[in-house]
Amino acid sequence: MFANRISRTLHDEHRATIALMERLEAAISRRQPINIADPAGARLLADLAAAIEADTLRHFDFEETQLFTMFNSVGDQLIGDHLTEEHSFMRPLGEKLIAQARAAQADGFDADSWREFSRSGAELVQRMVVHVQKEEMALLPLLDQTMDDATETRLYEAYVQASQGTVAT
């Protein structure tokens, strides 16, 4: 589908993110608090907190520090500016959901905490699905078209290091 490793890797992360958002949306649509005694419910909360913290926020950081700055350097800043703005709305929402999921892992949900978690989760699902679609339709094809081999190698190494936590993105 995509020619370079950066685009393919980001595409794979998008697929994982969409799968997680579908699980979250399914749990919220049941309109009953996630039961932390249920292994599937407990796993969703753990996966949600871990994926947002380790994958989504790192993904955003990598795009902003590496990809969007590359586009800026060649005079194409509109896509980076737009996607960065979307990140700025989703980042605090994701952090809020991490805290809510971890609190629920420890103490379960009451009516108020479930309502807040559901509200935050539904907003993140809505924003994330649209955001991923934009990146799949615009950002990844643009990366495929504009990156030369040397740039791809440099960015892929930066991506691997960021994924391993060996350098800040």
Side-chain angles (χ1 to χ4, degrees):
M1 176 175 216
F2 295 107
N4 69 58
R5 292 177 291 179
I6 295 294
S7 295
R8 287 192 307 263
T9 301
L10 294 177
H11 173 71
D12 290 344
E13 288 184 355
H14 289 158
R15 290 178 55 188
T17 297
I18 292 299
L20 182 60
M21 292 298 106
E22 288 172 348
R23 288 173 54 205
L24 176 60
E25 185 174 38
I28 292 169
S29 68
R30 287 186 205 107
R31 299 184 184 272
Q32 295 183 354
I34 295 171
N35 181 354
I36 62 170
D38 173 32
R43 180 176 299 134
L44 173 59
L45 294 173
D47 290 350
L48 187 62
I52 292 171
E53 183 174 66
D55 300 332
T56 303
L57 298 180
R58 176 192 40 78
H59 183 110
F60 289 173
D61 290 343
F62 176 77
E63 289 175 342
E64 291 171 9
T65 61
Q66 300 292 329
L67 302 182
F68 302 160
T69 56
M70 177 188 71
F71 288 130
N72 286 348
S73 72
V74 297
D76 190 359
Q77 71 183 61
L78 291 178
I79 191 167
D81 288 351
H82 177 73
L83 295 173
T84 298
E85 183 178 3
E86 289 186 0
H87 292 171
S88 73
F89 290 109
M90 289 186 291
R91 188 174 276 116
L93 187 57
E95 291 168 346
K96 182 177 179 181
L97 207 54
I98 291 169
Q100 291 171 329
R102 290 200 171 126
Q105 285 179 286
D107 301 322
F109 287 104
D110 61 21
D112 290 339
S113 64
W114 174 247
R115 188 174 29 259
E116 286 300 313
F117 178 86
S118 296
R119 188 176 300 140
S120 299
E123 184 177 351
L124 185 64
V125 167
Q126 180 182 24
R127 289 183 181 273
M128 188 66 76
V129 169
V130 171
H131 181 76
V132 166
Q133 289 171 341
K134 288 178 185 175
E135 290 194 2
E136 287 286 314
M137 293 187 312
L139 178 65
L140 300 185
L142 184 61
L143 284 172
D144 257 6
Q145 295 168 3
T146 58
M147 258 196 279
D148 59 29
D149 290 343
T151 303
E152 182 206 8
T153 298
R154 179 181 57 78
L155 290 176
Y156 189 73
E157 289 173 4
Y159 173 84
V160 169
Q161 290 176 345
S163 297
Q164 296 171 343
T166 55
V167 294
T169 53

